[in-house]
Amino acid sequence: MHVCVLGAGIVGLASAYGLRRAGHEVTVVDRAGPGSGASGGNGAQLSYSYVQPLADPAIWRQLPKLLLSPSSPLKLRPRLDVRQWLWGLQFLAACNSKTSRDTTGQLLSLAALSRQSFDAMMAEEQLDNDFSATGKLVLYSDEAAFAGARRQMLLQRELGSSQEAVNADRCVEIEPALKSRHAQIAGAIYTPGECAADCQKTCDALFVVLKRMGVRFLLDTPVQQLVQSGNSIAAVATPQGHVEADRFVMALGAGSALMAQGLGLHLPVYPLKGYSITVDVDPEAGAAPTVSVTDSARKVVFARIGSRLRVAGMAELSGYDVAVDPAQIASLEASTRTVFPACSRFDELNPWAGMRPATPTGLPVIGRHAKGPDNLLFNTGHGALGFTLAFGSAQRISRMIAG
């Protein structure tokens, strides 16, 4: 078949790779370049075992502080947007134990498929993307939070994850760069098999691989309209003309919901704006982390990518405004200086903001819409786990198209 993939972020490129490997003719359309949306400056962690959704019952206890504290990593900027308020209400409805447990199980299953598919791609293509498999520590600063994390760990163990709860001494043994934070660590969850990589480098390298494989790209080419014929999509209208295909895969991130709206369809996807900085590290041993670290209290992740440290966090429910807020960048720098004071000279911060396409439950939307055209499949709504889940989602899309 001829399959047209809308979107050249990591999810769209992984979809194109899986479809081309399956023997299909593939065209990729994107308004900018590879990885230019939510992919390029993301947290860089491949969290195959740690997929707890944001919609968790603990949110109810944390909600007043999250919404009212000036230093909160979660910010709600109300807008005259019915979709924003509907998403927020659906998110709160999903913050219960049953939904969180069910979502965790489904995400772990998808993540396991994604790891298998990503590893196979890396073995085949040998991408230069600063990949590492040094494990991950999720830090907790108080006993109550650490106790909740241990309960979640037991659930994830039941579902196949390999993790252990460790004390502050063991944390510093695993990652010596945490030595100065020893007194502030109540404990951590350690996942030795977790990985990291530069998602922008992955997108750029996949672009080269896909062109070599014969995939056609229309970049700097916005999708203007999906042209319907009966209960099918006949073509995609672009400034360069119509692109006809047998199947269409919509992987436009947060933009997928807006495009679906043009077809009269509701997708439960809304942007959660995130930020990152990327700093050069001090090469001295023990100065900067080599293990991926998540500070659960600050909701900030630290991932080593080559000779750089990626620091990412924040979640703003603020519509589609992509402007970089200097206060959020300053907060990420302050967190980095606090947790890893000797890691860098902080000469260049390389600030970035991206619109994570999130669903209220945390489960991505993969496949046909019940009321949508029969040859249109969605692959969106991965939230902060787009890099982690991209290749598993691509496998599912390929299988659906294969029938």
Side-chain angles (χ1 to χ4, degrees):
M1 297 182 191
H2 179 198
V3 185
C4 180
V5 177
L6 310 180
I10 188 61
V11 173
L13 293 172
S15 299
Y17 182 80
L19 291 164
R20 187 68 186 123
R21 292 273 296 181
H24 301 293
E25 179 186 350
V26 180
T27 299
V28 178
V29 183
D30 195 282
R31 65 181 181 182
S36 60
S39 300
N42 69 13
Q45 292 185 348
L46 291 160
S47 296
Y48 297 116
S49 296
Y50 205 91
V51 295
Q52 182 178 9
L54 183 62
D56 181 84
I59 285 288
W60 289 105
R61 174 171 45 84
Q62 301 168 7
L63 201 58
K65 182 179 179 181
L66 287 172
L67 292 178
L68 300 176
S69 171
S71 60
S72 170
L74 174 63
K75 294 193 185 301
L76 171 63
R77 304 190 191 279
R79 304 176 67 86
L80 293 174
D81 182 351
V82 173
R83 293 181 58 253
Q84 183 192 52
W85 289 95
L86 177 60
W87 190 97
L89 291 172
Q90 291 175 329
F91 170 76
L92 291 175
C95 292
N96 63 78
S97 297
K98 182 182 185 305
T99 301
S100 180
R101 181 186 178 92
D102 291 347
T103 300
T104 297
Q106 292 180 67
L107 289 175
L108 283 172
S109 176
L110 181 57
L113 175 62
S114 200
R115 164 173 255 164
Q116 182 184 51
S117 303
F118 180 82
D119 288 351
M121 181 278 297
M122 287 291 290
E124 178 72 20
E125 310 299 346
Q126 298 292 307
L127 302 189
D128 177 13
N129 60 357
D130 295 322
F131 176 81
S132 64
T134 52
K136 176 177 177 178
L137 281 165
V138 181
L139 307 180
Y140 296 89
S141 57
D142 66 80
E143 288 295 339
F146 186 36
R150 291 197 298 273
R151 289 192 293 272
Q152 178 69 16
M153 179 194 71
L154 293 176
L155 166 62
Q156 294 184 168
R157 270 188 185 172
E158 291 175 15
L159 298 170
S161 294
S162 176
Q163 299 174 308
E164 61 176 309
V166 298
N167 61 21
D169 289 343
R170 178 68 175 135
C171 280
V172 175
E173 183 182 332
I174 294 167
E175 180 45 75
L178 287 168
K179 184 177 181 180
S180 66
R181 295 293 296 169
H182 183 281
Q184 286 75 42
I185 299 173
I189 303 299
Y190 177 48
T191 313
E194 300 289 58
C195 310
D198 185 326
C199 192
Q200 184 62 63
K201 281 191 172 184
T202 304
C203 290
D204 291 340
L206 272 176
F207 171 63
V208 174
V209 167
L210 289 168
K211 286 188 71 177
R212 188 176 68 235
M213 293 169 68
V215 172
R216 177 190 178 208
F217 281 88
L218 293 176
L219 301 179
D220 300 311
T221 305
V223 176
Q224 296 173 321
Q225 184 185 358
L226 298 179
V227 181
Q228 285 189 264
S229 175
N231 197 39
S232 297
I233 301 297
V236 171
T238 79
Q240 296 191 41
H242 282 33
V243 179
E244 298 180 349
D246 302 303
R247 298 286 187 274
F248 296 84
V249 176
M250 190 180 293
L252 293 171
S256 297
L258 299 178
M259 190 62 63
Q261 199 169 355
L263 296 172
L265 306 175
H266 172 69
L267 275 191
V269 175
Y270 200 79
L272 280 182
K273 187 177 183 179
Y275 295 84
S276 76
I277 60 175
T278 309
V279 298
D280 292 331
V281 300
D282 187 322
E284 184 178 344
T290 56
V291 173
S292 289
V293 174
T294 296
D295 186 322
S296 65
R298 291 180 171 84
K299 300 290 192 293
V300 173
V301 302
F302 305 87
R304 182 70 170 264
I305 44 177
S307 60
R308 298 161 296 143
L309 183 67
R310 172 69 49 78
V311 185
M314 316 301 179
E316 287 185 3
L317 196 63
S318 57
Y320 287 80
D321 176 16
V322 297
V324 177
D325 183 348
Q328 300 287 48
I329 298 302
S331 176
L332 288 176
E333 180 185 0
S335 294
T336 311
R337 289 182 181 274
T338 299
V339 180
F340 299 109
C343 73
S344 175
R345 294 174 60 184
F346 297 94
D347 294 329
E348 296 286 341
L349 297 181
N350 300 293
W352 176 91
M355 312 304 285
R356 307 185 194 103
T359 64
T361 62
L363 277 179
V365 179
I366 304 173
R368 280 195 59 217
H369 191 289
K371 299 179 180 179
D374 54 19
N375 65 340
L376 173 64
L377 290 84
F378 292 93
N379 194 3
T380 187
H382 298 77
L385 294 170
F387 196 12
T388 297
L389 302 177
F391 284 82
S393 301
Q395 280 294 312
R396 289 192 177 174
I397 288 292
S398 290
R399 292 172 185 175
M400 290 172 183
I401 287 179

